[in-house]
Amino acid sequence: MIGSLRGTVLERTAGGEVLIEVGGVGYRVGVTGGTLVLLEPGNAAFVFTHLHVREDAMVLYGFVTRDERDMFESLIGTSGVGPKLALAVLSVHTPAALRRAVHEGDVDALTLVSGVGKRTAQRLMIELQGQLDVPDDGLPVAGVGSARAEVRAALEELG
């Protein structure tokens, strides 16, 4: 398995792919929108990778951080989520923001991703809750649209 690549970015496409040359070999790597912006042609690059093997193709995906790659692997490990949808989720949410949304039960945050409706978001929430480590980093867990915020507001109204 290819765990990472270090080389020179030869080109990038609007379709979310970069060509990274490593030791004279060019690797086509699918990336998130945020990673695409960071990888300038002609510059040195380092990406953590995931090799996705299908019946008809082997596709390499690249990520700026190990956390992004791990989140990608958690996402594609859930039913109904393929690599393209996982990249779309990570193009909208950082791994920390996604953990926070799952921890808070914020379904609306997941529906911001193109191709994710309410049902898919709810299913993802349920499946990801058991898979993701949600660190207690001292951040407030109550936020707009979160289940905790709604419960807190209801309890305050009751006195």
Side-chain angles (χ1 to χ4, degrees), residues 17-126:
E17 190 174 271
V18 294
L19 181 62
I20 300 175
E21 184 179 80
V22 179
V25 178
Y27 293 89
R28 290 173 46 190
V29 182
V31 295
T32 64
T35 301
L36 186 67
V37 171
L38 295 174
L39 299 175
E40 290 283 334
N43 289 348
F46 177 84
V47 291
F48 292 95
T49 60
H50 172 84
L51 180 62
H52 191 75
V53 179
R54 296 188 324 223
E55 219 175 87
D56 60 340
M58 293 191 306
V59 183
L60 199 57
Y61 295 95
F63 308 93
V64 174
T65 66
R66 179 176 281 129
D67 194 27
E68 277 185 325
R69 181 188 61 192
D70 293 345
M71 184 62 71
F72 175 83
E73 290 172 347
S74 292
L75 286 166
I76 63 173
T78 61
S79 63
V81 178
K84 288 187 181 188
L85 183 56
L87 280 182
V89 170
L90 290 173
S91 289
V92 174
H93 298 291
T94 65
L98 187 55
R99 276 188 199 88
R100 189 174 301 116
V102 169
H103 181 67
E104 294 176 356
D106 189 358
V107 174
D108 293 335
L110 286 178
T111 59
L112 295 174
V113 178
S114 177
V116 176
K118 281 272 192 200
R119 280 192 197 151
T120 303
Q122 290 169 341
R123 184 178 43 75
L124 275 173
M125 271 301 165
I126 292 167

